[in-house]
Amino acid sequence: MTDHRFGVSGFADEIGPDLDEQLDVLESLGISRLDLRSVGETNVLDLSDQQVSRVRSELDERGIQVTSIGSPIGKIAITDEFEPHLERFERAIEVADAFDTDRIRLFSYYVPEDDDPEQHRDEVLRRMDAKVERAEAAGVTLLHENEKDIYGDTPGRCRDLLTTIDSPNFRAIFDPANFLEIGVRPYPDALLQLIEYVEQLHVKDAQFGERGAVEPAGDGDGQIPATISALADRGFDGPASLEPHLERAGERSGYSGPGGYELAAEALFECLDSVDATYE
């Protein structure tokens, strides 16, 4: 990997469950940062303190930094009980501190299929606001991902959450593929509504309006180079985090395999090179 104006990171568990294999592939690609979601098929929030310490030691030995905790916080139904989930959120804060990152990825709750999302707005905001208040006290930033089928899956509802809560500790992850899969054009439509809140880019592409048709960056309808260029114009320098989902996209994780991950990384590097060339 050549140097780019965007720092590149990635969900290394998409390479495979084994940490050594994950780090080997990252090193071969010249990527020195990862978004920590799972190790050995165990979610990062379910790692014991001893396991956290071991993983941290291995990352330090390899010179790999943790960009964000890729938590599943908020990936429950809005009708599920909140208090146990809030306790789980406390573990996310502990783990972020252990891995020396101030970024935690989260979501804004699944809405029952036949319900109007707006009828759940107040409860979503109540729950999100409680977590943001805790994040402010802990000095961490919560990054909301526009996952499909959650409350904040459209640009309008994402913006409503961000502007209503209005905290520097609550910002956006921009995932072009997730918008495409629900029939929203990420560029320019969604990006124009959210760009001032974007602090992380999740890099996967897709076909417009088709679920599961995930592509390497630049091969779908996400206009990844244009998105990168627009973000760069605002001074954004990353992280751009690989989350390819080339072989499997599950509710809690995705899988690309070593070969698929390398393919996705090279596609991202090509997009970054094309944008960098315009600034020379």
Side-chain angles (χ1 to χ4, degrees):
M1 183 183 77
T2 57
D3 290 333
H4 299 285
R5 64 180 54 248
F6 275 30
V8 176
S9 184
F11 287 81
D13 58 349
E14 292 213 13
I15 295 165
D18 182 72
L19 182 61
D20 285 334
E21 181 183 37
Q22 293 177 19
L23 302 185
D24 286 345
V25 172
L26 290 180
E27 286 183 341
S28 73
L29 294 167
I31 299 173
S32 60
R33 302 166 70 179
L34 62 77
D35 297 87
L36 191 57
R37 182 170 53 194
S38 68
V39 177
E41 299 184 344
T42 298
N43 184 269
V44 62
L45 302 192
D46 297 319
L47 296 173
S48 68
D49 289 346
Q50 184 178 14
Q51 289 173 317
V52 166
S53 179
R54 178 184 62 80
V55 172
R56 174 66 194 263
S57 294
E58 293 188 40
L59 295 178
D60 288 347
E61 186 175 333
R62 298 278 198 124
I64 303 290
Q65 295 181 317
V66 174
T67 296
S68 74
I69 299 302
S71 88
I73 294 298
K75 269 198 168 183
I76 63 171
I78 189 59
T79 52
D80 288 346
E81 191 176 355
F82 179 49
E83 291 306 320
H85 202 59
L86 190 59
E87 292 176 11
R88 187 161 169 77
F89 173 65
E90 288 293 333
R91 181 58 177 170
I93 292 176
E94 293 173 357
V95 170
D97 181 64
F99 285 104
D100 197 26
T101 179
D102 61 357
R103 295 166 179 255
I104 299 172
R105 185 271 304 268
L106 83 172
F107 305 89
S108 55
Y109 302 96
Y110 289 112
V111 173
E113 186 176 354
D114 296 329
D115 287 1
D116 180 353
E118 292 303 320
Q119 76 184 71
H120 298 284
R121 178 181 182 270
D122 289 347
E123 179 61 13
V124 170
L125 282 168
R126 183 185 75 83
R127 296 183 178 201
M128 299 299 284
D129 194 53
K131 285 177 285 190
V132 171
E133 183 176 342
R134 180 67 184 92
E136 290 171 343
V140 297
T141 299
L142 307 183
L143 299 177
H144 175 265
E145 180 178 346
N146 56 288
E147 176 70 39
K148 50 191 174 291
D149 300 326
I150 63 170
Y151 177 84
D153 62 354
T154 66
R157 286 195 291 271
C158 286
R159 185 173 179 85
D160 179 44
L161 289 172
L162 293 159
T163 56
T164 301
I165 293 175
D166 190 25
S167 169
N169 295 77
F170 184 50
R171 287 294 183 260
I173 290 168
F174 191 83
D175 189 311
N178 288 345
F179 280 131
L180 285 166
E181 289 188 87
I182 65 166
V184 173
R185 296 284 180 188
Y187 180 89
D189 299 356
L191 189 62
L192 285 174
Q193 297 183 60
L194 300 172
I195 192 166
E196 70 265 37
Y197 295 100
V198 174
E199 287 201 5
Q200 188 166 356
L201 177 66
H202 278 185
V203 182
K204 59 180 182 284
D205 213 337
Q207 299 299 316
F208 180 78
E210 296 185 30
R211 296 207 174 201
V214 182
E215 309 270 4
D219 289 353
D221 295 321
Q223 298 198 53
I224 305 294
T227 298
I228 291 170
S229 182
L231 289 168
D233 285 343
R234 290 187 59 86
F236 178 87
D237 59 4
S241 294
L242 283 163
E243 194 189 18
H245 288 5
L246 291 185
E247 290 194 22
R248 184 183 71 248
E251 183 178 308
R252 300 290 180 178
S253 64
Y255 180 73
S256 298
Y261 203 86
E262 292 169 3
L263 175 67
E266 293 301 329
L268 170 59
F269 298 156
E270 288 182 14
C271 291
L272 291 170
D273 285 340
S274 70
V275 173
D276 286 344
T278 68
Y279 288 88
E280 294 177 353

